[in-house]
Amino acid sequence: MNPAAELSARIEGLAAAAPDCPAVVSAEASVTYAELARRARRQAERWRTEGGSGRQDLVADDPVTVAVALVAAATRGAGLLLLDAEGRPAEHERARALFRGAPPTATPGLGLTTSGVDGPPKCVERPWAAVAANSAAFAAALGLREGETVLCTTPPHHSYAVCGGIVTALTAGATYVGVPRRTGPRALAAAVDAHRVDVLLSVPLLYQWYAAGLPTRHAPRLCVSAGSPLTPGHRSAWERGVGWRLVEHFGTSEYGMLTVDTTGRPDSVGPAVDGVRVSVEPVGHRHGDEVVVTVSGAPARLLHADGRAELLDGPRRTGDLGTVDPAGHLSLLGRVGGVINVAGNKVSATEVEAVVSAHPSVRECALVGDSSVPGATRLCLFVEVDGVLDRQALHRHLAATLAPYKVPQAVYEVEALPRSAAGKVLRSELLRLVL
């Protein structure tokens, strides 16, 4: 039996053995394992009778709805694309067109949007068997047991929440708890106590926010951070303010959950989980070599805007810089370039710059990330303008086209962007103009 079918069978087994055990809980709803199995069967049957291409999409606004759709799609062997609930209609339509227009495949699976390293956002489709097997390996690495509870602070369209949280919890027979975006310390503490959370999944920016204090009676046995490396300041603030065990994890939308460091080493995201091999290859970068991953099982495919479906098989470069020690522990040292990490969300500078350039007052522009405040990367936009820039009109233009986390927090007008002799923008020089 393949892992995707095993996931469905696992949920049916739990529905029979522990029908009232909560499977997924959110601020709006909850579902037991019995209800999850029943709703997923009904959803799979509706999709079957509707016919069509067998490729579905869902605006992922609630973890319960997402979980039902995931199980239904895996059971039926249908492709399912998850869309950001805060995304704009134009973004959704571009992603739908990529996913629904993709060439037929014998291994349909979970579709997620990804910025990629170059160009506009793409879609990645990971076969259901690969998603289920990788999530089971992540559950094993976390030591997640049946009956435990996992809480994730990232939204339910994100790979971290979907694969690292929902599918991982269901694979283990655990309970998944989702919380609203930007949940504050007091609300998080209440959720941890109410659900007696065992494993907390979050990102450095939020751990920094929560480090001021989480007034709880119950402490999770493990807190996991992903999205960008924890700084020494993050760790010391967390240890002083909260003190719960905090470790790091590395994963991507394209390949899933790749490593986890359950030992708590301050400079490592840990060794690879089962089914994953991590190595590095030189790229001539002064900060390190490029991280390369090899994932077993059916490969994912990357769906490009021009209609190409690129199979992500064999060893693949990730665009991350790092080192691997003799024991196989990976340390991350930054990005090769092209993508800005904002609290775990990957923002394509190319995509944002294309939207900005469409504004009539903008002649040239460049987007960079300001990480001078640890864990709180700001998007800074530098523009050359013709005439007078109407900043409010530019903001409305961006907000109508881009998800909120992609909209620059600071806009600077410059007479001319700094460029090399070859005419390339010197992005490294931009922040020096204002910092």
Side-chain angles (χ1 to χ4, degrees):
M1 183 183 294
N2 69 49
E6 288 176 2
L7 175 60
S8 177
R10 171 70 166 152
I11 291 170
E12 291 287 353
L14 287 163
D20 297 326
C21 177
V24 182
V25 178
S26 73
E28 289 76 28
S30 65
V31 64
T32 64
Y33 271 95
E35 292 166 337
L36 175 60
R38 184 166 55 251
R39 288 177 58 179
R41 287 194 300 269
R42 289 203 303 264
Q43 182 64 72
E45 179 60 21
R46 279 196 296 270
W47 284 341
R48 187 192 67 79
T49 56
E50 289 170 0
S53 66
R55 298 177 73 73
Q56 310 294 331
D57 59 75
L58 174 71
V59 176
D61 58 353
D62 182 76
V64 171
T65 305
V66 169
V68 171
L70 288 170
V71 177
T75 300
R76 185 171 179 256
L80 174 67
L81 172 66
L82 297 181
L83 299 167
D84 183 357
E86 288 194 353
R88 297 298 184 249
E91 293 175 305
H92 289 173
E93 286 308 312
R94 286 195 298 269
R96 287 190 183 102
L98 283 179
F99 192 73
R100 290 181 176 267
T105 177
T107 56
L110 173 64
L112 301 169
T113 57
T114 173
S115 293
V117 174
D118 299 301
K122 308 173 183 68
C123 287
V124 61
E125 182 175 13
R126 296 180 59 219
W128 289 117
V131 171
N134 179 245
S135 293
F138 190 54
L142 295 175
L144 189 63
R145 298 182 294 273
E146 187 173 317
E148 287 196 311
T149 300
V150 178
L151 185 152
C152 186
T153 63
T154 57
H157 73 283
H158 198 284
S159 176
Y160 195 19
V162 178
C163 301
I166 297 174
V167 181
T168 292
L170 296 180
T171 297
T175 298
Y176 176 83
V177 175
V179 293
R181 298 185 194 222
R182 295 172 284 278
T183 291
R186 187 175 298 277
L188 179 70
V192 167
D193 274 343
H195 302 288
R196 298 191 63 79
V197 170
D198 298 285
V199 178
L200 173 64
L201 307 178
S202 194
V203 297
L205 180 61
L206 292 189
Y207 281 119
Q208 184 181 30
W209 188 18
Y210 300 147
L214 287 167
T216 64
R217 298 180 301 278
H218 171 79
R221 66 171 176 82
L222 186 65
C223 300
V224 182
S225 179
S228 60
L230 286 167
T231 67
H234 284 141
R235 283 191 175 277
S236 61
W238 178 260
E239 290 167 0
R240 290 193 308 270
V242 180
W244 299 343
R245 185 182 175 205
L246 179 60
V247 303
E248 295 190 71
H249 148 67
F250 172 52
T252 69
S253 298
E254 294 87 348
Y255 308 106
M257 309 298 105
L258 299 174
T259 73
V260 62
D261 173 46
T262 55
T263 65
R265 283 178 48 172
D267 62 343
S268 172
V269 292
V273 303
D274 286 348
V276 175
R277 186 169 67 85
V278 176
S279 60
V280 293
E281 292 185 5
V283 289
H285 199 289
R286 64 188 179 90
H287 290 307
D289 300 325
E290 186 170 4
V291 178
V292 176
V293 300
T294 307
V295 180
S296 62
R301 59 179 189 163
L302 196 60
L303 308 178
H304 294 267
D306 61 6
R308 288 181 299 118
E310 177 187 0
L311 207 60
L312 302 180
D313 55 349
R316 305 290 301 195
R317 294 177 178 268
T318 63
D320 293 278
L321 296 169
T323 62
V324 178
D325 71 11
H329 290 255
L330 173 66
S331 295
L332 295 177
L333 303 171
R335 290 286 296 175
V336 174
V339 170
I340 303 168
N341 194 319
V342 180
N345 294 299
K346 303 299 192 298
V347 178
S348 166
T350 303
E351 178 197 14
V352 177
E353 288 166 2
V355 174
V356 174
S357 296
H359 190 272
S361 297
V362 175
R363 184 170 63 245
E364 294 281 351
C365 67
L367 184 76
V368 295
D370 171 18
S371 300
S372 58
V373 177
T377 300
R378 290 192 315 151
L379 293 178
C380 296
L381 178 66
F382 292 81
V383 294
E384 298 176 11
V385 300
D386 290 320
V388 177
L389 177 65
D390 185 336
R391 289 173 175 265
Q392 291 184 341
L394 175 61
H395 187 272
R396 288 194 298 270
H397 169 68
L398 297 176
T401 313
L402 299 169
Y405 65 83
K406 299 178 184 178
V407 177
Q409 286 85 33
V411 178
Y412 301 103
E413 294 182 47
V414 295
E415 290 186 8
L417 297 171
R419 296 179 183 273
S420 68
K424 293 184 179 180
V425 174
L426 299 174
R427 294 175 185 272
S428 61
E429 302 293 326
L430 287 169
L431 289 175
R432 298 181 187 178
L433 300 176
V434 295
L435 295 182

